[in-house]
Amino acid sequence: MWKGDYIFFLESMVMKDFKIRYRNMSLGVFWSLLNPLILMAVMTFVFTVLTPNNTIQYFPLFVLCGLVPYNFFSVAWNSGTVSITNNAGLIKRVPVPREVVPISTVLAACIHLLIQIGLLLAVTLVYGRGINWNWLYLPVVWALAVVFVCGIVLVTSALDVYIRDIRYVVESFVTVLFWSVPIFYYPSAEISQRFSYVFDYNPITALIFALRSILIDGHAPPFSLLAKFALVSLGMFGIGWFVFGRLKSRFFDYL
Amino acid sequence: MNVIEFSQVWKSFHRAAEQQLLRHYIVDLFDGADSNPFYALKDITFKIGEGECVGVVGSNGAGKSTLLSLVTGLAPPNRGEVKVKGRVAALLELGAGFHPDLTGRENVILNASLMGFKRKEAMNLYEPIVDFAEMADFMDEPLRTYSSGMKLRLGFAVAINLNPDVLIIDEILAVGDQAFQAKCTEKILEIKKAGKTILCVSHNGSTIQSLCDRALWLDHGQLMMDGRSSEVVPAYEGRRAASHA
């Protein structure tokens, strides 16, 4: 069995992912900044200039609070889902702990996330929404989001080994998410009541609401939101760990 | 003390393993999956003690690679039990995880981490590894600029420096030019002298006979013979010659 150094291995895998993504690009890490900035500009143009009956304040910041979490979920989930199948060479030849492969992919996406969070905080300051004590909630909500993504990626990456269609299911799902989580709109009380099952236990929505309340309103996120968010994230991680543990022993035969 | 122990080990592969599209999967579910398994290993039992140097011979498809995947812990057996003690280094993992866009140095460190080195070991062994591969001048170049021989040499250098308790060699002595091959053989003999356990797999009987004292002969997943390599190898080669005639 494998008796190596988990942390060293995890770190090497994360750095590998990060390096190979940027090595051959002249703009390098700037792509992490450019992509959300462009989307933010386009959406601001569409929703404040083309359709000007918009009452949301600080619209660019409002949109960015949705885009940054969504980008992270979409990149981490998509790349995490194919991580085992893409690393078949590794899985078939070295008895490394399999969990490390999808989790390292998620953590590599976290490096981009950090850059984008930096951008988000910068834009917050530009709009004059200063630093407040509730910023201390930021690491908590981001950590919960990362835990959630690790959980869901453990499930889909393991399933993708057995059923290669899973990656396309995930891709389609991520596209639907763009519209079903409130990135560029604010659900009215009536709507969020009617679709409460869509909004309440959706960790991406929870993260977006929490960010807006911390960064734009300067309030702490409501406790009920944090509680549901934590419940879903930790639950998802538990499920992911269990499912992955059950499926990993036959990866070798199916890759 | 036994380092490797196989007791009544069976390993199957189900034949539909290539069909991973959803519709195949659903069809399989209704058919009752694995109605027709293919056994790569059938009822294998043997023990290898500490310091033994054992060869495994057999023609293509005899189950040699499957046997190695069980020893390295890549796959669990379907039935029976596999016990392995200590750190296993398999020279079939040469360059696992190598990526063409990373430099030689980055690849060595990554490869070392997944071969099971601790961080400190990897840093300390980096120089000896590069020296052994004789590639100090190229370590900051991306791997895609290397020749295939250079990649193999680098992979071999990492694996051989792991200082394993069990060394697994899979048809590997064809790495690099003759001088490098001689160096590899010398290193393997050194490991053997140090009292480490070696498992060497080949379809070439003479390699096995010159390196190993004991040999196992696999044929279509069955253990045909287990004994002194000077007896097993001629038997295997006699059988092979007979089947070709």
Side-chain angles (χ1 to χ4, degrees):
Chain A
M1 292 307 121
W2 197 79
K3 295 182 183 65
D5 181 341
Y6 276 77
I7 302 297
F8 180 37
F9 175 46
L10 185 65
E11 187 196 302
S12 310
M13 290 295 286
V14 171
M15 289 319 291
K16 169 194 168 191
D17 256 33
F18 186 72
K19 279 178 189 158
I20 58 185
R21 189 160 310 174
Y22 286 121
R23 178 127 309 165
N24 296 320
M25 295 187 198
S26 41
L27 279 185
V29 191
F30 281 104
W31 286 113
S32 288
L33 299 176
L34 218 54
N35 177 290
L37 275 179
I38 290 172
L39 263 176
M40 180 183 88
V42 169
M43 286 189 154
T44 306
F45 180 72
V46 170
F47 291 104
T48 60
V49 180
L50 294 187
T51 52
N53 51 347
N54 192 323
T55 54
I56 296 171
Q57 268 193 309
Y58 311 111
F59 194 78
L61 179 56
F62 178 88
V63 166
L64 204 59
C65 281
L67 282 175
V68 171
Y70 174 79
N71 270 349
F72 169 64
F73 273 93
S74 121
V75 169
W77 196 14
N78 276 321
S79 60
T81 299
V82 295
S83 61
I84 298 280
T85 28
N86 282 357
N87 280 298
L90 205 68
I91 302 286
K92 288 208 65 122
R93 294 199 292 176
V94 199
V96 289
R98 275 74 174 100
E99 293 82 3
V100 171
V101 175
I103 289 179
S104 71
T105 314
V106 173
L107 294 184
C110 285
I111 301 182
H112 310 273
L113 176 64
L114 283 177
I115 299 165
Q116 298 200 351
I117 290 177
L119 174 73
L120 180 61
L121 298 184
V123 172
T124 306
L125 295 178
V126 165
Y127 277 88
R129 316 304 297 160
I131 302 173
N132 61 68
W133 280 107
N134 291 314
W135 280 35
L136 291 176
Y137 279 103
L138 290 173
V140 178
V141 292
W142 284 113
L144 285 175
V146 172
V147 168
F148 173 78
V149 179
C150 284
I152 201 162
V153 158
L154 282 171
V155 173
T156 53
S157 64
L159 286 179
D160 191 61
V161 174
Y162 295 88
I163 313 165
R164 298 287 158 93
D165 312 51
I166 289 291
R167 62 187 64 185
Y168 300 114
V169 175
V170 169
E171 245 173 53
S172 312
F173 202 84
V174 166
T175 313
V176 173
L177 270 183
F178 187 78
W179 306 92
S180 65
V181 300
I183 293 175
F184 50 85
Y185 58 89
Y186 195 86
S188 67
E190 188 221 347
I191 294 288
S192 55
Q193 200 82 52
R194 226 170 89 202
F195 294 101
S196 61
Y197 52 92
V198 181
F199 290 123
D200 271 17
Y201 289 97
N202 181 340
I204 313 175
T205 309
L207 177 61
I208 294 174
F209 283 166
L211 287 179
R212 283 176 185 159
S213 116
I214 296 167
L215 295 177
I216 301 179
D217 307 333
H219 297 318
F223 178 76
S224 66
L225 180 135
L226 285 180
K228 283 175 189 164
F229 190 10
L231 182 78
V232 173
S233 297
L234 296 174
M236 189 69 233
F237 191 82
I239 293 170
W241 195 261
F242 175 77
V243 169
F244 197 91
R246 294 301 292 271
L247 295 179
K248 68 179 175 183
S249 68
R250 300 207 66 191
F251 284 174
F252 181 83
D253 299 347
Y254 279 81
L255 281 172
Chain B
M1 194 185 77
N2 290 318
V3 177
I4 301 174
E5 225 178 305
F6 273 53
S7 34
Q8 294 165 336
V9 169
W10 292 71
K11 177 68 188 169
S12 75
F13 290 100
H14 85 124
R15 291 177 196 272
E18 293 302 313
Q19 308 177 345
Q20 280 143 337
L21 300 177
L22 190 55
R23 65 196 155 89
H24 294 134
Y25 195 78
I26 292 167
V27 169
D28 266 6
L29 277 181
F30 285 107
D31 274 359
D34 257 18
S35 52
N36 186 18
F38 165 76
Y39 281 97
L41 290 178
K42 299 170 197 159
D43 199 17
I44 304 289
T45 303
F46 66 88
K47 287 173 188 167
I48 295 177
E50 195 176 351
E52 269 193 281
C53 180
V54 180
V56 181
V57 288
S59 40
N60 285 331
K64 303 187 298 290
S65 300
T66 308
L67 186 101
L68 291 190
S69 68
L70 293 177
V71 174
T72 50
L74 287 169
N78 295 82
R79 267 186 279 162
E81 203 181 5
V82 175
K83 281 189 202 158
V84 179
K85 292 196 187 103
R87 182 144 81 169
V88 180
L91 295 190
L92 66 159
E93 296 159 5
L94 290 188
F98 273 10
H99 194 283
D101 283 342
L102 297 179
T103 65
R105 173 188 296 272
E106 288 165 338
N107 270 307
V108 167
I109 300 294
L110 173 66
N111 193 235
S113 81
L114 58 93
M115 293 286 285
F117 285 87
K118 306 266 182 285
R119 181 194 310 269
K120 255 186 120 167
E121 291 174 312
M123 298 308 163
N124 291 340
L125 282 169
Y126 178 74
E127 291 298 326
I129 287 171
V130 174
D131 280 350
F132 187 89
E134 301 168 13
M135 289 182 37
D137 295 342
F138 306 103
M139 295 314 287
D140 291 319
E141 301 293 323
L143 198 79
R144 66 184 128 81
T145 63
Y146 288 24
S147 71
S148 53
M150 286 161 84
K151 284 181 214 162
L152 280 175
R153 254 157 60 192
L154 201 57
F156 189 89
V158 179
I160 204 90
N161 278 294
L162 181 59
N163 192 22
D165 301 308
V166 182
L167 181 70
I168 296 178
I169 306 165
D170 185 12
E171 316 269 9
I172 217 63
L173 295 169
V175 173
D177 54 19
Q178 279 199 337
F180 192 73
Q181 276 185 38
K183 194 168 163 181
C184 293
T185 312
E186 193 183 314
K187 185 82 183 178
I188 290 168
L189 289 175
E190 195 181 296
I191 290 174
K192 186 181 168 186
K193 262 196 208 117
K196 302 296 170 96
T197 310
I198 296 179
L199 191 62
C200 182
V201 172
S202 180
H203 55 241
N204 179 359
S206 60
T207 318
I208 299 288
Q209 220 172 334
S210 65
L211 189 67
C212 308
D213 323 308
R214 180 180 157 198
L216 309 173
W217 169 19
L218 283 180
D219 189 54
H220 292 97
Q222 276 166 320
L223 187 57
M224 304 291 283
M225 214 174 155
D226 174 1
R228 299 189 56 78
S229 61
S230 53
E231 289 158 20
V232 174
V233 170
Y236 155 69
E237 289 189 327
R239 166 73 170 271
R240 194 164 65 157
S243 70
H244 281 306

